[in-house]
Each structure stands twice: as structure tokens, then as C-alpha cells.
């Protein structure tokens, strides 16, 4: 790890002012950033500690739920409001990392964690995300955990967050704070960027902006399910994950929101898939059609070809569970 200056911010205004200096990074829980600094993947000259800022509240409003950026993953997963009305979010958080990491990891930091691609972490290897224009060693390399949707010739990495997948299914928005007090809200669907030719540009955050909160619209009822397929039972990133919110009426699917992890650079959601489910009676044929729509443009890279049938089976299992009668699920 390279030497750096450390500044403890006393307010959001102070933190944003410090961030105007080139080479500055924010640190909160540090569960991802410190690893990246140890590997010298990221080498900020200055760290601004924002862990003590007043951004920890979880507040229910007429517009929904406001989650401060400094709320820990453990506190968010255990919050009674979240568990009662947005259980999908709690389940996704508990499926990610270890208890110790969840105690330190923050809501804002979770959204901004970077890919766990082997080649991104190995500074001896080519990586366009780490060094633009250098190439992508994962293409043609060992790419078992890599993307099958939304990738490009420049990068096939995936986003590792479980929480972000649940938030995408819940139609969350991200509240951003800029120097001078300016605020803006960005739907999570628009917060992340696909790699294209610039995989090093991962979000729409402008220089000097910080995440202030995550906003959830009111819960709509129905069934919420999070299913994560991984190599071992705990502390492993998703090969495929599905976050689902479905509501049934008179034996047909009345509302559906599904997001997918482990498949792309961002939590993936398909309006075409969801539209095909609305108004239909659940059946294996319908679930198979939904998988066709999801995976129509999927492309394996060799080692990760198995993700295509795995995503199909996982989606079918989640849809079957979400649409089953109460007695069948008991």
C-alpha cells in the first residue's frame, strides 16, 4: 500500500470541498477500498473519512423509505421496517459477505464496490477497467465468474453487490450530493454504466459528488424472493442471483419486477421479460419464454457458458416459488 494523507471530515460540506483536490477518495467502512489499496489497484493520494457524517438514518416518509448512505449493511438488514415491508432487501444483504463485513460495510459503499474480477485485482495483467486501453485478459482467460449480458470487447466483468440487485428490483433511486449543496436523484437503473469502450467509468457520479441516501418507493405487497446461486454456502459472490417482486390476482401475474446479479456489469433488469409475465397464468412454458427473453443476447466466454442454463433454471425456480399457492409453498 502506498502512503496517503488522511482527513476526517466533520460535515458533508467539508468532505465535498476536500474531494475537489485531485487524487482524493472517500472512505467509509473501507471493506472494498482498503483491499484495492493493498493490491495497489487504487492508489489515492488522500483519503477523506466520511464514516462519522450524519447520514445514518432509516426514515419512513409518504414517498417511501429513505436510507442514509452511512447505514451499515447489518443495521439495514435488521431494521424492522425493512424486514416487514421490503424483506427482499434484508434477504439480499444477509446473503452477502460475512457478519463482520456487514457490520462495517455501508449502504453507499456497497453500491460503489468494484468488480471482483481476478485480472482487475492483478496489476500484472491487462485490464481496461484498471488501465484504459491496456486490453482485457479475462477475454480468452479464466472467465468463470464473468458477464454474459451487457459486456463489450473491452470488459466482461460483473458487479458483485447483492444489495444492489434487490434495490434494482425495488426500483430504488440514489440521492447524490455535490459541492455547494446541490442534490439530484438518479434511478438505480441509470446509476450504473455499461462498459462499452470506457469500462473504467462505472457510474454517473460526477467528480466531487457523494451518495447521500438511497430512496425506496412504497412497498406494493406481493411476494418478495431473493435466490443466490454460488460456489459455497457463505461468503461467496453470486454466479447467478434473482431478486423478484411478484403479485398475483385471481390466478394471474398482476405485477412483476425481477433483477439479476452475476450476469452483467450492473444489476440487470428486462422490461420485455416483465411485460411478458403480466396478465398471464403461471406455467413452465411461460417461465421458459421469460428465460428466452432474458437470455436472447447472452454470450458466454467459454468458462462461464454454464451461466446461461443456470440463469434459466434459477429464474424458473424463483417464478415457480413466487406464483405458487400458499399451501404449495408451506
Amino acid at each position: 500500500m502506498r502512503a496517503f494523507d488522511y482527513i476526517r471530515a466533520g460535515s458533508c460540506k467539508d468532505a465535498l470541498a476536500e474531494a475537489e483536490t485531485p487524487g482524493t477518495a472517500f472512505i467509509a467502512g473501507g471493506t472494498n477500498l482498503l483491499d484495492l489499496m493493498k493490491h495497489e489497484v487504487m492508489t489515492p493520494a488522500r483519503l477523506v473519512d466520511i464514516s462519522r457524517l450524519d447520514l445514518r438514518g432509516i426514515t419512513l416518509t409518504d414517498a417511501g423509505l429513505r436510507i442514509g448512505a452511512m447505514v451499515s449493511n447489518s443495521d439495514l438488514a435488521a431494521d424492522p421496517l425493512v424486514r416487514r415491508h421490503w424483506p427482499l432487501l434484508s434477504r439480499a444483504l444477509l446473503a452477502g459477505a460475512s457478519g463482520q463485513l456487514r457490520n462495517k460495510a455501508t449502504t453507499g459503499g456497497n453500491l460503489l464496490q468494484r468488480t471482483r474480477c481476478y485480472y482487475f485485482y492483478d496489476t500484472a495483467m491487462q485490464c481496461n477497467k484498471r488501465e484504459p486501453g491496456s486490453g482485457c485478459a479475462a477475454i480468452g482467460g479464466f472467465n468463470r465468474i464473468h458477464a454474459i449480458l451487457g459486456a463489450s470487447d473491452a470488459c466482461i466483468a460483473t458487479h458483485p453487490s447483492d444489495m444492489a440487485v434487490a434495490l434494482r428490483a425495488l426500483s430504488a433511486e440514489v440521492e447524490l450530493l455535490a459541492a455547494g449543496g446541490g442534490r439530484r436523484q438518479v434511478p438505480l437503473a441509470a446509476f450504473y454504466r455499461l462498459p462499452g469502450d470506457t469500462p473504467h467509468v462505472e457510474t454517473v457520479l460526477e467528480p466531487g459528488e457523494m451518495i447521500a441516501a438511497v430512496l425506496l418507493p412504497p412497498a406494493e405487497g406481493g411476494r418478495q424472493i431473493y435466490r443466490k446461486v454460488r460456489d459455497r454456502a457463505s461468503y461467496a459472490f453470486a454466479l447467478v442471483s434473482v431478486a423478484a417482486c411478484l403479485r398475483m390476482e385471481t390466478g394471474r401475474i398482476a405485477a412483476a419486477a425481477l433483477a439479476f446479479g452475476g450476469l452483467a456489469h450492473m444489476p440487470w433488469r428486462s422490461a420485455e421479460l416483465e411485460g411478458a409475465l403480466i396478465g398471464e397464468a403461471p406455467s413452465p412454458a411461460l417461465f421458459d419464454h421469460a428465460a428466452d427473453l432474458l437470455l436472447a443476447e447472452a454470450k458466454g466466454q467459454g468458462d462461464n457458458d454454464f451461466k446461461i442454463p443456470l440463469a434459466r433454471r434459477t429464474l424458473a425456480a424463483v417464478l415457480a416459488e413466487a406464483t405458487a399457492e400458499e399451501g404449495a409453498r408451506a
Side-chain angles (χ1 to χ4, degrees):
M1 183 185 292
R2 299 185 188 180
F4 58 89
D5 293 330
Y6 171 84
I7 301 100
R8 179 180 294 174
S11 67
C12 291
K13 180 180 179 181
D14 292 343
L16 291 164
E18 294 287 355
E20 294 180 349
T21 301
T24 299
F26 293 132
I27 185 169
T31 56
N32 186 210
L33 177 60
L34 292 178
D35 280 344
L36 294 169
M37 291 175 65
K38 290 174 184 176
H39 288 276
E40 297 192 359
V41 174
M42 294 181 67
T43 56
R46 305 166 79 241
L47 286 186
V48 177
D49 185 346
I50 60 173
S51 63
R52 292 167 176 80
L53 299 186
D54 186 21
L55 297 171
R56 295 187 180 276
I58 301 175
T59 308
L60 186 64
T61 69
D62 292 339
L65 194 70
R66 189 177 192 277
I67 305 163
M70 290 298 108
V71 173
S72 74
N73 287 180
S74 290
D75 287 346
L76 184 57
D79 184 81
L81 285 171
V82 173
R83 294 182 65 179
R84 183 179 306 115
H85 300 292
W86 296 272
L88 173 61
L89 178 55
S90 181
R91 291 166 187 160
L93 285 162
L94 293 173
S98 65
Q100 294 91 334
L101 286 173
R102 290 196 299 269
N103 287 341
K104 290 295 293 180
T106 63
T107 299
N110 190 303
L111 291 179
L112 293 175
Q113 65 182 301
R114 306 192 69 185
T115 181
R116 263 55 178 192
C117 172
Y118 321 115
Y119 302 101
F120 174 67
Y121 269 78
D122 186 348
T123 56
M125 305 301 293
Q126 295 172 325
C127 176
N128 289 316
K129 188 179 287 288
R130 189 183 64 248
E131 186 179 347
S134 64
C136 176
I139 299 176
F142 181 59
N143 46 51
R144 184 172 181 274
I145 65 172
H146 289 72
I148 60 171
L149 291 170
S152 71
D153 291 338
C155 185
I156 59 171
T158 57
H159 195 274
S161 172
D162 291 285
M163 183 190 79
V165 180
L167 291 176
R168 181 74 194 273
L170 294 168
S171 300
E173 295 193 349
V174 184
E175 181 182 291
L176 304 178
L177 182 63
R183 291 178 184 264
R184 63 181 177 125
Q185 291 178 206
V186 179
L188 190 64
F191 181 71
Y192 295 110
R193 292 168 49 114
L194 288 176
D197 295 327
T198 56
H200 60 290
V201 183
E202 298 171 343
T203 72
V204 298
L205 271 172
E206 298 289 344
E209 281 187 318
M210 65 187 298
I211 296 176
V214 171
L215 310 171
L216 292 180
E220 296 184 356
R223 297 170 183 167
Q224 298 183 17
I225 296 170
Y226 187 73
R227 180 169 296 200
K228 178 178 181 178
V229 182
R230 46 189 164 179
D231 283 325
R232 57 182 185 270
S234 65
Y235 196 33
F237 298 103
L239 297 171
V240 174
S241 64
V242 182
C245 303
L246 273 86
R247 189 176 76 252
M248 299 290 292
E249 292 180 3
T250 63
R252 295 184 178 272
I253 301 171
L258 296 105
F260 301 84
L263 303 184
H265 286 67
M266 62 176 68
W268 196 262
R269 192 166 166 180
S270 169
E272 189 176 12
L273 180 162
E274 293 171 11
L277 295 174
I278 303 301
E280 299 293 331
S283 69
L286 177 65
F287 302 161
D288 197 47
H289 177 55
D292 287 342
L293 294 174
L294 171 67
L295 300 167
E297 297 184 7
K299 178 184 177 182
Q301 297 288 336
D303 296 315
N304 69 346
D305 290 352
F306 74 96
K307 283 192 175 187
I308 297 175
L310 180 61
R312 178 179 293 274
R313 293 195 303 270
T314 307
L315 172 59
V318 168
L319 289 174
E321 180 182 352
T323 57
E325 297 294 336
E326 288 294 335
R329 293 190 301 127

